[in-house]
């Protein structure tokens, strides 16, 4: 947007907006703006008229919704910073019309008074008394690396000089956001324009001294500058909701502040640009070593790789997606060279130069300070790079402001800090209630009595002692359990313990399995159960003496006494019908209708199976897999194949009576791969030829599952069906479905029907499959609506996986499909599984989420459970807990291994209990919390309107944060947003869940996509939901070709992208490679093997293999990411300004979304408002 137009502020919260048409858009929270007609605040994404805000207190400024009291601001926080454009001590004129008190006017000019309840006060924990602090001259040199950052901070910012010992925290992120729990009152970040009240000079004309201003300058012919209703600026009258502010412009000089000569302080001219001349913004280069920078030193992980805001660009606006813009249309004339249109719809802020940002803004802002005695040093907040202050711009260039996106909690920063603080040491599980490192940190686990976080993660590791306390906090108590998780090679797999015919030792009453928390008594003859306190005799064969501490002498020899995770060999009592199971079988069932044949899919599957069958899963010590295989093809009828090893050629048998499905042969259908190798190879060669000329377009679906189920029943074994299916099953048969896709149901009360199966037939079929141990994996290749919500029911309830390849094309989708198929066939899977979670007295498992079936309230049943699936369990209090004994969980999974061995896998975890809410909030894990909340919401859409689900999510999170604010944070003004240190990312991640396709679909998202994502997320682990909701964005051009490491990630926002760079974004399902229009030709040649931007093909599904360091590095990064994810991600090349860019922007989750989702900044304001309403 250009600056020469009248200002409008943001659109109604959470509504889709049409492109650029100069909509009159009310400010956040519904306060009217100059010249803007009054409009009611709309509730979060959905019309809800009359959402009025209470009359704000005196000193309330509409642009942010944070009150400004008295004189300047006190910031106390672990990570906090001021409103980006606060300019010293201002106060709104009192409503009575009396002159404002000159608060702080009596201070000497080198002091600034900090009130404890200032505008944007930021508090962490206990308040500090209001202190007089000296303000350093802004010219104080930047001293990188002078003091290490304390572990509790999310900061890696270096200080300006050494911090005073008492200052434990960094100035915080949002105007007034507070995070964490420390006590001292921090000084404001250096460089936020704090002079004494008299020192705020409008520095006329100095902004573009270096010729590189980012704003299109005004000329006399361009009309008046925009009204800047920004925080901390006095308005002529105090604004109230309902009372329009007059559309006068603010005077260019702040009233009551005599101008200082522009040479005072440090204007841009004091920071010469590196070249000494205007530097064209399109040639990024970091500041030279001698140049002073307002941002963090270039070594900082958060910004080390952030791109500059896009440089000059005529044509499309460089900000967020079209409909996410605030404000007027862009000017039709291109911006002048060296200047840039205003960045980002939310009141284009200009940033100080950031390390490795292109030098689009070499003129560093003037900080308007007065020379004074050397002050105490200050510390800047890790993420807060302030946008320039109003007094730094010449009068004609005052921008409109909201919150600086750099000044709010950054996921990237939190991830980097956790990596540097916790990535080097192993995580030893011996201590009760330890919060593990984040899922994004690479760490080694040493099992010393509690299960590894790879198996179990909790929303909190310190749970409230009473249900009242749990209700008050609203923090859900849940565990995300991944019983068969894959461990890295450096960690030991769970030991297998064989107790012989007597089986595992268990408690007599609650049947909990022997574990490290059981207490041996009476010299080791009996043990007291840690779950129910019942005393049980120790079986004679298990008896062992105790040492002087009461531990058994064989403590370290027995995994079940010293480790958190282990396996028992199950006895025949744990088997169906009291007989040991047969090894499982895999049945491949291939759709051979016209669509499948025409696309080349059938030939591809048959070719792949020839080699893939040699890689069936097997026990570690076995020569070959014990799994038998069978083959079926189908369209309207089913074809079974006899591939008995004694046959010269396979035999086909057709079953056309699909209404009464049976298996026409028993002997020769399920065979050993090695024995029948030649017959199987012959069959796989013949299938593509046999159906090459088919004209059959209709398919059946339910009879296919029934056939597989019947075959497993006849063979008396469990197993897995691999079904490859292409179209809506409309042929006359059981389970026939009709096309019921209807976009008109979106945002109505009937929207939930789109997620529900259209017939109950599949539910009863699923129940039968689970009883037999028949797991269904579904590979879908739709060219149109397929009704995933219905066809996926059996897969979902049997613990299977769905893979979807819309508009499948051999050349682009073959790699992805084959990689998925290989991994799916080879991965570890347990069959005929039952899981039960036991807890110690006081809490119990009440709710379960995931891909499984439940026939009672305690047992989670799965026909198959693989190493990627998680089960999420919610706990509720049924009694009081005690701080001394804590709380225990034991997850026991009974399953059949791929060799047909019946086993029990046990995971134990001990948690702390607390009587103080502060202890609960100190030990939460936000990633796990978001995993639980997403699953809770995604189940909610089955029974409630989507809007109700979204509102409930926002409300619950507001309650969690309001409870912290009320009970754990120190008293402070209501204008502050205070977030617990370990939950400071809750708003940004929650907003990502709310904006996801299930809860807020854009117009291009199909009903099938939503049903698919809903099922997928429900069994994701914490690492997968983390990257799915907040994708990883890496600047490839910043990658070091000589090292193995990834380039430092940057935040998911369009303003972080530079036109001269190439970026990679991954979310677990897709990898996007975004190429800026100004990328150097050499880089394009090295990566794509073509000579110019225009020649890059969008159709590439893999990067070309080229022999140069950059190509090798990027391909190794892609390979590294593919290995980390459970599915093979689709590679999509996105050229800037190309049609695919809209899809890419959908994943820039900190920006407004086209479907009406809020930007991170807007959502933070909305959450703040919700919290204040709860508190008032």
């Amino acid at each position: 947007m250009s600056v020469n137009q009248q200002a409008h502020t943001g659109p109604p919260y959470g509504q889709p907006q049409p492109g650029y048409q100069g909509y009159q858009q009310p400010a956040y929270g519904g306060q009217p703006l100059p010249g803007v007609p009054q409009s009611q605040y709309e509730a979060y994404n959905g019309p809800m008229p009359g959402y009025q805000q209470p009359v704000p207190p005196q000193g309330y400024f509409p642009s942010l919704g944070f009150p400004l009291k008295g004189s300047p601001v006190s910031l106390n926080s672990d990570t906090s910073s001021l409103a980006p454009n606060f300019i010293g001590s201002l106060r709104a004129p009192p409503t009575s019309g009396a002159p404002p008190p000159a608060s702080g006017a009596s201070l000497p000019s080198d002091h600034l008074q900090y009130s404890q309840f200032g505008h944007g006060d930021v508090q962490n924990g206990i308040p500090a008394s209001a202190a007089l602090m000296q303000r350093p001259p802004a010219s104080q040199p930047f001293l990188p690396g002078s003091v290490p950052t304390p572990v509790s901070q999310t900061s890696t910012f270096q200080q300006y000089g050494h911090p005073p010992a008492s200052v434990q925290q960094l100035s915080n992120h949002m105007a007034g956001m507070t995070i964490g729990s420390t006590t001292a009152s921090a000084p404001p970040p250096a460089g936020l324009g704090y002079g004494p009240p008299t020192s705020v000079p409008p520095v006329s004309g100095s902004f573009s001294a270096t010729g590189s201003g980012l704003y299109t300058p005004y000329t006399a012919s361009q009309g008046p500058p925009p009204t800047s209703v920004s925080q901390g600026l006095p308005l002529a009258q105090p604004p109230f909701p309902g009372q329009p502010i007059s559309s006068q412009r603010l005077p260019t000089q702040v009233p009551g502040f005599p101008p200082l000569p522009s040479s005072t302080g440090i204007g841009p001219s004091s920071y010469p640009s590196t070249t000494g001349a205007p530097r064209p913004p399109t040639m990024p280069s970091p500041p030279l070593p001698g140049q002073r920078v307002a941002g963090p030193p270039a070594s900082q992980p958060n910004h080390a790789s952030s791109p500059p805001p896009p440089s000059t660009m005529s044509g499309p606006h460089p900000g967020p997606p079209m409909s996410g813009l605030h404000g007027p249309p862009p000017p039709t004339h291109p911006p002048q060279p060296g200047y840039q249109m205003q960045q980002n719809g939310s009141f284009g802020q200009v940033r100080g130069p950031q390390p490795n940002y292109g030098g689009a803004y070499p003129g560093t802002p003037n900080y308007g300070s007065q020379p004074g005695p050397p002050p105490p040093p200050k510390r800047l907040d890790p993420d807060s790079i302030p946008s320039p202050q109003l007094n730094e711009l010449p009068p004609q260039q005052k921008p409109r402001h909201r919150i600086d996106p750099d000044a709010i909690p950054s996921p990237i920063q939190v991830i980097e800090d956790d990596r540097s603080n916790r990535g080097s040491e192993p995580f030893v599980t011996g201590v009760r209630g330890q919060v593990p490192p984040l899922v994004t940190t690479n760490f080694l686990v040493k099992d010393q009595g509690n299960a590894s976080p790879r198996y179990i993660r909790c929303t909190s590791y310190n749970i409230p002692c009473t249900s009242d306390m749990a209700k008050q906090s609203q923090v859900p108590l849940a565990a995300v359990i991944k019983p068969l998780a894959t461990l890295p090679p450096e960690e030991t797999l769970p030991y297998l313990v064989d107790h012989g015919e007597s089986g595992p030792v268990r408690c007599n009453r609650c049947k909990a399995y022997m574990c490290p928390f059981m207490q041996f008594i009476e010299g080791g003859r009996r043990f007291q159960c840690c779950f129910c306190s019942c005393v049980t005799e120790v079986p004679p064969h298990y008896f062992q003496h105790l040492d002087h501490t009461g531990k058994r002498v064989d403590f370290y020899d027995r995994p079940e006494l010293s480790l958190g995770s282990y396996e028992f060999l199950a006895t025949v009592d744990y088997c169906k019908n009291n007989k040991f199971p047969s090894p499982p079988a895999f049945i491949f069932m291939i759709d051979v209708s016209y669509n499948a044949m025409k696309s080349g899919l059938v030939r591809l599957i048959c070719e792949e199976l020839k080699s893939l069958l040699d890689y069936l899963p097997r026990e570690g010590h076995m020569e070959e897999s014990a799994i038998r295989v069978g083959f079926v093809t189908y369209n309207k009828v089913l074809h079974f194949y006899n591939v008995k090893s004694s046959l010269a050629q396979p035999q086909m048998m057709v079953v056309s009576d699909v209404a009464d499905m049976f298996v026409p042969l028993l002997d020769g259908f399920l065979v050993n791969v090695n024995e029948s190798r030649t017959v199987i190879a012959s069959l796989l060669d013949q299938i593509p030829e046999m159906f090459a000329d088919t004209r059959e377009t209709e398919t059946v679906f339910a009879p296919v599952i029934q056939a597989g189920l019947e075959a497993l029943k006849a063979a008396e074994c469990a197993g897995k069906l691999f079904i490859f299916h292409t179209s809506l099953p409309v042929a006359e048969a059981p389970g026939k479905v009709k096309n019921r896709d209807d976009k008109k149901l979106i945002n109505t009360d009937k929207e939930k029907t789109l997620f529900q199966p259209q017939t109950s037939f599949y539910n009863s079929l699923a129940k039968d499959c689970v009883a037999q141990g028949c797991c269904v994996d579904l590979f879908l290749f739709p060219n149109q609506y397929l009704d995933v919500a219905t066809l996926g029911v059996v897969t979902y309830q049997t613990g299977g996986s769905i893979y979807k390849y819309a508009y499948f094309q051999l050349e682009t989708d073959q790699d992805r499909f084959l990689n998925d198929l290989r991994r799916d066939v080879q991965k570890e899977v347990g069959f005929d599984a039952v899981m039960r979670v036991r807890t110690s007295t006081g809490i119990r498992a009440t709710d379960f989420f995931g891909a499984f079936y439940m026939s009672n309230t305690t047992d989670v049943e799965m026909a198959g459970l693989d190493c990627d699936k998680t089960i999420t369990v919610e706990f509720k209090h049924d009694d009081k807990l005690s701080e001394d004994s804590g709380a225990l969980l034991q997850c026991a999974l009974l399953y059949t291994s791929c060799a047909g061995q019946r086993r029990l896998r046990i995971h134990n975890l001990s948690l702390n209990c607390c009587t103080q809410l502060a202890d609960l909030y100190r030990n939460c894990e936000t990633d796990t919390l978001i995993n639980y909340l997403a699953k809770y919401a995604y189940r909610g859409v089955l029974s409630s309107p989507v809007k109700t689900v979204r509102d409930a999510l926002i409300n619950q999170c507001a309650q969690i944060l309001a409870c912290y604010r009320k009970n754990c944070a120190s008293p402070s003004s209501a204008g502050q947003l205070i977030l617990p240190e370990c939950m400071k990312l809750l708003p940004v991640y929650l907003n990502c869940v709310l904006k996801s396709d299930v809860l807020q679909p854009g117009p291009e998202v199909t009903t099938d996509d939503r049903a698919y994502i809903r099922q997928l997320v429900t069994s994701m682990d914490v690492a997968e939901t983390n990257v799915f909701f907040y994708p990883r964005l890496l600047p490839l051009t910043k990658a070091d070709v000589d090292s193995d490491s990834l380039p430092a990630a940057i935040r998911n926002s369009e303003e972080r992208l530079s036109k001269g760079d190439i970026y990679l974004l991954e979310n677990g399902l897709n990898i996007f490679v975004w190429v800026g229009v100004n990328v150097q030709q050499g880089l394009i040649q090295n990566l794509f093997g073509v000579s110019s931007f225009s020649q890059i093909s969008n159709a590439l599904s893999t990067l070309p293999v080229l022999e140069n360091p950059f190509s090798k590095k990027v391909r190794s990064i892609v390979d590294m990411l593919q290995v980390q994810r459970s599915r093979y991600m689709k590679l999509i090349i996105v050229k800037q300004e190309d049609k695919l860019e809209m899809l890419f922007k959908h994943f820039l989750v900190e920006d407004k979304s086209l479907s009406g989702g809020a930007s991170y900044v807007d959502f933070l304001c909305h959450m703040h408002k919700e919290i204040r309403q709860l508190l008032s």
Side-chain angles (χ1 to χ4, degrees):
M1 97 179 50
S2 125
V3 199
N4 51 2
Q5 316 223 334
Q6 270 304 336
H8 307 296
T9 29
Y13 188 82
Q15 303 234 116
Q17 311 118 37
Y20 282 20
Q21 322 319 353
Y23 273 58
Q24 300 291 331
Q25 295 164 329
Y28 194 86
Q31 303 90 333
L33 279 185
V36 178
Q38 172 79 16
S39 149
Q40 286 300 347
Y41 175 84
E42 296 281 7
Y44 190 86
N45 190 38
M48 190 165 145
Y51 199 129
Q52 274 276 22
Q53 217 182 324
V55 173
Q58 175 186 337
Y60 191 95
F61 285 103
S63 63
L64 246 191
F66 298 130
L68 169 61
K69 284 202 192 143
S71 70
V73 178
S74 126
L75 295 183
N76 343 6
S77 151
D78 285 356
T79 37
S80 38
S81 94
L82 266 190
N85 45 355
F86 185 73
I87 42 170
S89 104
L90 300 181
R91 178 185 172 96
T95 37
S96 65
S103 62
S106 60
L107 288 176
S109 68
D110 54 324
H111 279 69
L112 176 55
Q113 185 182 349
Y114 285 81
S115 111
Q116 191 177 306
F117 304 107
H119 155 281
D121 233 341
V122 197
Q123 284 270 352
N124 252 0
I126 329 288
S129 56
L132 293 182
M133 288 228 174
Q134 290 175 309
R135 164 165 179 22
S139 60
Q140 185 179 340
F142 201 73
L143 303 178
S146 51
V147 178
T149 313
V151 175
S152 66
Q153 261 109 287
T154 54
S155 54
T156 47
F157 245 56
Q158 322 298 5
Q159 285 58 276
Y160 281 76
H162 297 270
S166 68
V167 178
Q168 280 198 325
Q169 63 279 53
L170 304 175
S171 37
N172 184 30
H173 284 139
M174 180 171 159
M177 167 181 318
T178 306
I179 302 184
S181 47
T182 38
T183 53
S185 157
L192 274 188
Y194 283 82
T198 52
S199 70
V200 181
V203 183
S204 58
S206 65
F207 177 70
S208 46
T210 55
S212 65
L214 282 181
Y215 286 84
T216 312
Y218 284 99
T219 59
S221 64
Q222 282 180 322
T227 313
S228 167
V229 182
S230 76
Q231 271 159 282
L233 260 197
L235 291 175
Q237 27 338 47
F240 284 106
Q243 173 196 340
I245 302 167
S246 71
S247 58
Q248 58 168 20
R249 272 178 279 128
L250 286 176
T252 51
Q253 186 177 315
V254 180
F257 291 71
L260 285 173
S262 54
S263 58
T264 310
I266 313 248
S269 42
S270 321
Y271 287 103
S273 89
T274 24
T275 56
R279 188 189 323 163
T282 50
M283 290 170 51
S285 72
L288 295 184
Q291 185 187 3
R292 290 199 181 118
V293 198
S299 63
Q300 290 316 311
N302 190 23
H303 296 288
S305 48
S306 308
S311 35
T312 57
M313 169 170 147
S314 50
H317 183 281
M322 299 300 184
S323 69
L325 291 174
H326 303 250
T332 47
H333 57 272
Q336 290 94 334
Y339 291 94
Q340 172 175 357
M341 293 200 234
Q342 268 194 22
Q343 195 48 44
N344 182 354
S346 68
F347 301 110
Q349 39 283 27
V350 177
R351 293 214 157 60
Q354 304 195 7
N356 299 345
Y357 270 42
Y361 179 43
T364 306
N366 151 46
Y367 292 125
S369 75
Q370 290 212 316
K378 304 204 168 180
R379 295 172 64 177
L380 247 187
D381 161 56
D383 304 307
S384 110
I385 292 180
S387 47
Q389 310 314 304
L390 284 178
N391 54 316
E392 296 156 16
L393 303 184
Q396 290 78 23
Q397 296 184 353
K398 303 226 167 156
R400 293 163 296 150
H401 268 301
R402 257 171 130 171
I403 301 169
D404 179 2
D406 268 324
I408 50 183
S410 155
I412 304 303
Q413 192 63 53
V414 171
I415 288 168
E416 284 296 339
D417 289 345
D418 194 76
R419 279 189 185 140
S420 54
N421 294 333
R422 307 196 63 182
S424 49
E425 292 296 304
F427 178 69
V428 181
T429 71
V431 184
R432 183 174 85 188
Q434 276 187 109
V435 182
L438 298 181
V439 284
T440 43
T441 299
N442 270 333
F443 60 99
L444 212 61
V445 180
K446 290 198 170 153
D447 185 343
Q448 291 191 0
N450 282 292
S452 160
R454 303 192 206 287
Y455 294 124
I456 306 183
R457 276 188 179 263
C458 293
T459 52
S460 179
Y461 288 80
N462 200 333
I463 62 180
C465 281
T466 65
S467 61
D468 290 346
M469 195 171 151
K471 282 194 187 90
Q472 187 185 355
S473 73
Q474 286 287 312
V475 176
L477 306 175
V480 179
I481 305 174
K482 195 175 182 183
L484 298 178
T486 314
L487 299 183
E490 313 82 79
E491 291 177 22
T492 321
L493 292 171
Y495 290 101
L496 181 60
V497 179
D498 184 359
H499 281 314
E501 286 184 15
S502 58
V505 178
R506 302 176 70 177
C507 165
N508 271 344
R509 182 198 290 158
C510 71
K511 299 288 184 263
Y513 294 87
M514 180 53 67
C515 72
F517 313 122
M518 297 289 190
Q519 193 66 45
F520 286 88
I521 53 175
E522 297 175 24
R525 287 191 296 280
R526 307 170 84 184
F527 68 90
Q528 182 167 25
C529 177
C530 51
F531 295 95
C532 70
S533 304
C534 173
V535 174
T536 302
E537 294 283 334
V538 173
H541 73 89
Y542 197 69
F543 173 77
Q544 186 54 271
H545 295 286
L546 309 185
D547 66 10
H548 64 287
T549 64
K551 264 186 184 170
R552 282 173 55 124
V553 184
D554 61 355
F555 176 80
Y556 290 107
D557 303 332
R558 291 194 175 271
E560 73 273 21
L561 298 182
S562 53
L563 298 177
S565 302
Y566 42 87
E567 293 199 311
F568 290 122
L569 206 52
T571 59
V572 76
D573 307 334
Y574 292 87
C575 303
K576 249 186 212 158
N577 310 325
N578 276 14
K579 64 184 217 194
F580 285 111
S582 310
F586 282 0
I587 305 177
F588 297 91
M589 316 185 88
I590 306 167
D591 174 348
V592 289
S593 64
Y594 176 74
N595 277 344
M597 296 306 302
K598 185 186 67 174
S599 65
L601 176 64
V602 173
R603 187 175 296 279
L604 181 67
I605 293 168
C606 292
E607 280 304 312
E608 179 61 28
L609 285 179
K610 284 183 201 169
S611 54
L612 186 55
L613 293 177
D614 289 332
Y615 297 96
L616 298 177
R618 60 176 189 261
E619 295 290 328
H621 56 273
M622 294 172 61
E623 288 288 310
E624 60 174 51
S625 174
I627 293 172
R628 291 170 297 162
V629 298
F631 302 89
V632 173
T633 56
Y634 67 94
N635 39 46
K636 270 166 78 167
V637 298
L638 274 75
H639 322 106
F640 293 79
Y641 297 93
N642 183 345
V643 282
K644 199 173 173 181
S645 55
S646 54
L647 295 174
Q649 283 293 319
Q651 295 172 347
M652 171 168 143
M653 300 184 181
V654 180
V655 176
S656 51
D657 182 6
V658 288
D660 182 19
M661 186 43 63
F662 67 99
V663 179
L665 75 162
L666 291 180
D667 190 29
F669 179 63
L670 294 178
V671 297
N672 174 293
V673 173
N674 279 339
E675 290 170 11
S676 299
R677 182 175 298 280
T678 50
V679 195
I680 291 172
S682 170
L683 170 68
L684 294 173
D685 283 336
Q686 289 175 37
I687 287 175
E689 307 307 325
M690 247 185 309
F691 298 100
D693 302 325
T694 184
R695 285 281 165 268
E696 187 54 75
T697 55
E698 290 190 350
T699 57
V700 295
F701 184 69
V704 182
I705 298 175
Q706 286 172 322
L709 173 62
E710 292 302 322
L712 294 178
K713 272 186 185 167
E716 295 184 343
C717 68
K720 188 183 266 199
L721 312 183
F722 295 83
I723 302 180
F724 305 90
H725 189 78
T726 61
S727 57
L728 196 68
V730 292
E732 211 43 66
K736 170 187 171 180
V737 293
K738 59 181 190 294
N739 187 340
R740 52 157 187 172
D741 190 17
D742 188 358
K743 281 276 180 83
K744 291 196 287 295
L745 297 182
I746 292 179
N747 293 328
T748 68
D749 283 353
K750 288 191 173 170
E751 183 171 4
K752 57 178 181 253
T753 59
L754 296 175
F755 296 109
Q756 298 164 352
Q758 56 174 286
T759 156
S760 62
F761 181 85
Y762 289 96
N763 293 79
S764 52
L765 180 55
K767 185 179 170 184
D768 296 341
C769 286
V770 171
Q772 181 54 42
C774 168
C775 175
V776 179
D777 278 1
L778 191 51
F779 292 81
L780 296 173
F781 305 87
N783 289 334
Q784 56 205 33
Y785 178 69
L786 195 72
D787 203 347
V788 173
T790 302
L791 301 195
V793 167
V794 178
T795 298
Y796 185 64
Q797 293 191 16
T798 57
S801 305
I802 300 184
Y803 299 85
K804 181 165 160 288
Y805 310 88
Y807 307 105
F808 177 82
Q809 289 181 310
L810 269 187
E811 51 280 7
T812 54
D813 297 312
Q814 163 175 341
D815 278 349
R816 183 165 60 113
F817 163 57
L818 292 181
N819 276 288
D820 282 343
L821 177 59
R822 285 168 198 154
R823 188 157 193 279
D824 197 57
V825 166
Q826 294 174 43
K827 67 185 170 188
E828 182 187 357
V829 57
F831 294 96
D832 223 343
V834 184
M835 186 183 99
R836 183 176 283 194
V837 178
R838 292 177 173 84
T839 52
S840 53
T841 313
I843 52 170
R844 61 194 170 86
T846 55
D847 209 350
F848 300 86
F849 304 83
F852 52 74
Y853 174 79
M854 289 188 83
S855 56
N856 58 34
T857 56
T858 55
D859 294 336
V860 174
E861 300 174 49
M862 293 154 290
L865 171 68
D866 64 49
C867 55
D868 299 321
K869 295 281 184 303
T870 61
I871 294 93
T872 301
V873 186
E874 187 181 7
F875 303 98
K876 289 264 181 7
H877 286 75
D878 55 8
D879 204 346
K880 279 203 174 86
L881 294 163
S882 89
E883 283 186 281
D884 299 338
S885 54
L888 302 173
L889 324 175
Q890 183 178 79
C891 161
L893 176 78
L894 175 64
Y895 71 99
T896 302
S897 75
C898 56
Q901 201 175 48
R902 201 71 174 147
R903 294 181 179 180
L904 283 150
R905 180 168 289 200
I906 314 295
H907 297 297
N908 303 288
L909 186 63
S910 58
L911 303 173
N912 287 330
C913 296
C914 58
T915 51
Q916 298 296 318
L917 282 164
D919 292 329
L920 163 68
Y921 283 101
R922 211 171 282 132
N923 291 280
C924 286
E925 232 253 308
T926 300
D927 292 323
T928 310
L929 191 56
I930 287 292
N931 179 285
Y932 164 84
L933 290 171
K935 290 172 180 178
Y936 184 78
Y938 281 16
R939 185 176 68 184
V941 298
L942 291 173
S943 51
S944 308
V946 172
K947 183 178 183 316
T948 310
V949 173
R950 293 163 50 81
D951 292 345
L953 268 185
I954 294 172
N955 184 43
Q956 180 166 6
C957 287
Q959 286 188 318
I960 290 172
L961 298 175
C963 174
Y964 174 80
R965 171 66 191 262
K966 186 176 170 187
N967 299 289
C968 308
S970 51
S972 55
S973 75
Q976 292 177 284
L977 174 58
I978 301 187
L979 301 172
E981 173 61 30
C982 65
M983 281 192 189
K984 64 183 176 190
L985 298 182
L986 188 59
V988 62
Y989 286 162
L990 178 70
N991 191 35
C992 297
V993 175
L994 293 167
K995 284 165 40 165
S996 63
D997 291 338
V998 173
L999 298 181
Q1000 193 167 36
E1004 73 296 335
V1005 179
T1006 66
T1007 305
D1008 275 346
D1009 287 334
R1010 297 177 75 196
Y1012 173 63
I1013 294 298
R1014 195 192 76 76
Q1015 294 198 9
L1016 208 55
V1017 168
T1018 307
S1019 46
M1020 275 185 183
D1021 72 6
V1022 180
E1024 288 172 315
T1025 51
N1026 175 275
V1027 77
F1028 179 76
F1029 289 116
Y1030 192 92
R1032 176 150 60 161
L1033 183 58
L1034 305 173
L1036 294 178
T1037 21
K1038 302 280 190 292
D1040 177 357
V1041 292
D1042 300 321
S1043 88
D1044 291 339
S1045 60
L1046 292 172
I1050 58 171
R1051 291 171 66 171
N1052 281 304
S1053 173
E1054 186 175 2
E1055 62 177 27
R1056 310 275 165 181
L1057 304 181
S1058 148
K1059 294 181 173 184
D1061 286 323
I1062 302 174
Y1063 298 87
L1064 179 148
L1065 181 144
E1066 62 126 355
N1067 73 339
L1069 295 183
N1070 300 304
I1071 290 181
F1072 293 92
V1073 174
W1074 182 90
V1075 187
V1077 287
N1078 295 345
V1079 172
Q1080 292 169 8
Q1081 193 178 337
L1083 282 176
I1084 290 175
Q1085 183 71 52
N1086 283 345
L1087 189 57
F1088 299 104
V1090 295
S1091 56
S1092 71
F1093 178 81
S1094 56
Q1095 291 174 303
I1096 299 171
S1097 163
N1098 281 349
L1100 289 176
S1101 60
T1102 51
L1103 292 169
V1105 178
L1106 303 172
E1107 286 303 314
N1108 66 71
F1110 185 58
S1111 172
K1112 285 178 181 166
K1113 176 65 182 176
V1114 172
R1115 283 182 287 115
S1116 79
I1117 289 175
V1118 170
D1119 293 343
M1120 196 189 308
L1121 298 180
Q1122 293 285 22
V1123 169
Q1124 288 174 15
R1125 305 292 168 218
S1126 61
R1127 289 166 183 250
Y1128 195 83
M1129 296 180 279
K1130 180 176 186 169
L1131 183 77
I1132 300 169
I1133 308 293
V1134 178
K1135 291 156 72 176
Q1136 188 179 358
E1137 296 168 21
D1138 188 61
K1139 57 183 187 299
L1140 270 175
E1141 205 182 17
M1142 294 315 273
L1143 177 61
F1144 173 75
K1145 285 178 181 176
H1146 177 66
F1147 297 100
L1148 298 176
V1149 290
E1150 288 195 23
D1151 297 337
K1152 263 196 170 53
S1153 71
L1154 286 175
S1155 50
S1159 69
Y1160 175 19
V1161 169
D1162 285 352
F1163 184 69
L1164 206 49
C1165 294
H1166 182 70
M1167 282 303 284
H1168 187 203
K1169 183 169 175 237
E1170 294 280 324
I1171 292 166
R1172 288 175 61 182
Q1173 281 187 332
L1174 288 172
L1175 291 174
S1176 59

